[in-house]
């Protein structure tokens, strides 16, 4: 899953230049030229980053930033890209929600994209969490890995029940995705081991095809943070749960 960037700018030519460079770097891009319609697209698209021009007609950019700051369903990083040169404008933008204030005339589209990549890299370096996936289904594991890494998680896969404890102790994950229906070992015993092992301080999301309410209750009573029924969740939806838990 590629990172999503929303460009809010009334200059169509500049937007298309940004879009071309960003898409060449495998970003998913949406453009909004109308300063009155941006909120609908932002909520629908749910971008990871918004590149915002704060000199647009029919649009109070201070109100845009305040709306982004207060809107519960929007967690986008905001990059201001403007021809305003006042230090007061820059300070006000950074005090509200923006992480960077770029003066449009000082940057080419390629340099703007380099700044966007830098923001994502800094985000990854500061917030990357470690996820251990314990599941004997290699195809499912690989799908989780792809989606998790797209969200900047550091991921380790363990297909072998007999090695899970060694992997967990060495890797020290922030969260374990655990299938409790695997050969050769009882998943509930794994949960109990995690609960009592002093070197393991981790969240555990059980992802299982066991449907009994008693199984869910037993897992939650032991150590599981969340119990998901595997057939009800796509890998993307599982990762959404993980992001919410780790946030």
């Amino acid at each position: 899953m590629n990172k999503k960037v929303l460009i809010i700018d009334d200059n169509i030519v500049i937007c298309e230049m940004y879009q071309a460079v960003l898409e060449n770097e495998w970003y998913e891009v949406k453009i909004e030229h109308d300063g009155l319609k941006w909120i609908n697209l932002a909520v629908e698209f749910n971008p990871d980053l918004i590149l915002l021009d704060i000199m647009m007609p029919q649009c109070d950019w201070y109100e845009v930033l305040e709306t982004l700051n207060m809107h519960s369903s929007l967690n986008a990083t905001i990059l201001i890209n403007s021809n305003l040169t006042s230090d007061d404008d820059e300070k006000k933008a950074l005090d509200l929600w923006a992480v960077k204030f770029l003066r449009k005339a000082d940057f080419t589209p390629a340099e703007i994209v380099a700044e966007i990549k830098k923001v994502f890299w800094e985000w990854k370096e500061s917030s990357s969490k470690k996820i251990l996936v314990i599941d004997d289904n290699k195809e499912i594991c690989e799908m989780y890995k792809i989606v998790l890494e797209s969200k900047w998680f550091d991921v380790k896969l363990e297909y072998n029940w007999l090695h899970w404890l060694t992997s967990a102790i060495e890797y020290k994950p922030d969260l374990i995705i655990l299938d409790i229906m695997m050969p050769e070992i009882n998943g509930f015993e794994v949960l109990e081991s995690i609960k009592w092992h002093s070197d393991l301080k981790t969240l555990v999301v059980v992802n299982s095809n066991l449907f009994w309410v008693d199984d869910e209750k037993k897992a939650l009573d032991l150590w599981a943070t969340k119990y998901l029924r595997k057939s009800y969740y796509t890998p993307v939806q599982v990762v959404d749960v993980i992001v919410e838990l780790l946030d």
Side-chain angles (χ1 to χ4, degrees):
M1 186 187 302
N2 298 334
K3 290 293 181 185
K4 297 193 289 186
V5 178
L6 172 61
I7 303 170
I8 304 175
D9 195 314
D10 62 324
N11 188 317
I12 296 174
V13 174
I14 284 180
C15 283
E16 289 178 347
M17 286 193 295
Y18 291 150
Q19 183 174 26
V21 181
L22 283 162
E23 289 181 343
N24 191 52
E25 296 284 345
W26 301 102
Y27 292 100
E28 184 180 350
V29 183
K30 296 277 188 185
I31 295 171
E32 181 54 71
H33 307 301
D34 190 329
L36 299 178
K37 296 180 179 178
W38 70 269
I39 186 65
N40 293 330
L41 181 57
V43 171
E44 178 185 338
F45 185 48
N46 193 22
D48 299 292
L49 183 142
I50 295 175
L51 184 64
L52 173 66
D53 178 11
I54 54 176
M55 291 182 66
M56 293 179 65
Q58 300 178 305
C59 182
D60 184 329
W61 67 272
Y62 294 110
E63 290 183 5
V64 171
L65 286 171
E66 286 179 341
T67 301
L68 289 168
N69 193 7
M70 300 300 294
H71 206 292
S72 60
S73 66
L74 289 174
N75 295 307
T77 298
I78 312 299
L79 221 62
I80 299 295
N81 187 34
S82 173
N83 281 321
L84 290 176
T85 57
S86 164
D87 289 339
D88 287 343
D89 288 321
E90 179 175 352
K91 182 178 184 304
K92 188 168 184 179
L94 295 174
D95 286 346
L96 282 170
W97 193 248
V99 297
K100 283 195 177 183
F101 191 102
L102 307 177
R103 291 177 170 84
K104 195 178 283 188
D106 296 341
F107 293 85
T108 66
E111 289 169 337
I112 291 290
V113 172
E115 290 295 321
I116 289 172
K117 292 171 70 176
K118 185 177 178 182
V119 167
F120 281 133
W121 181 254
E122 290 170 351
W123 178 23
K124 176 183 177 182
E125 289 293 291
S126 64
S127 64
S128 183
K129 299 287 187 179
K130 295 194 289 185
I131 310 293
L132 175 62
V133 183
I134 304 174
D135 196 313
D136 62 329
N137 187 319
K138 293 186 179 182
E139 290 183 359
I140 286 180
C141 283
E142 291 296 337
M143 285 192 291
Y144 288 147
K145 183 178 174 69
I146 290 168
V147 182
L148 284 161
E149 288 183 342
S150 76
K151 294 290 187 180
W152 304 103
F153 290 109
D154 184 11
V155 184
K156 182 178 177 63
L157 307 179
E158 183 55 73
Y159 314 117
N160 191 330
W161 271 101
L162 302 178
H163 298 158
W164 78 268
L165 185 56
T166 301
S167 291
I169 292 172
E170 290 178 354
Y171 186 53
K172 291 183 170 56
D174 298 288
L175 184 143
I176 294 173
I177 302 175
L178 173 66
D179 179 8
I180 54 176
M181 288 181 65
M182 292 180 67
E184 302 179 22
I185 194 167
N186 183 321
F188 295 109
E189 292 178 4
V190 172
L191 283 169
E192 196 156 7
S193 296
I194 293 170
K195 180 177 181 178
W196 295 108
H197 205 291
S198 60
D199 289 336
L200 291 176
K201 303 297 181 185
T202 179
L203 301 177
V204 181
V205 172
V206 171
N207 191 35
S208 173
N209 280 322
L210 289 177
F211 282 83
W212 298 108
V213 174
D214 287 348
D215 291 319
E216 179 175 355
K217 184 178 185 304
K218 185 175 181 179
L220 294 172
D221 285 346
L222 283 170
W223 192 251
T225 313
K226 199 88 173 176
Y227 191 100
L228 308 179
R229 290 174 172 83
K230 193 178 283 188
S231 59
Y232 291 178
Y233 289 81
T234 66
V236 171
Q237 290 170 327
V238 171
V239 172
D240 286 344
V241 170
I242 288 167
V243 169
E244 184 178 345
L245 286 173
L246 290 175
D247 280 347

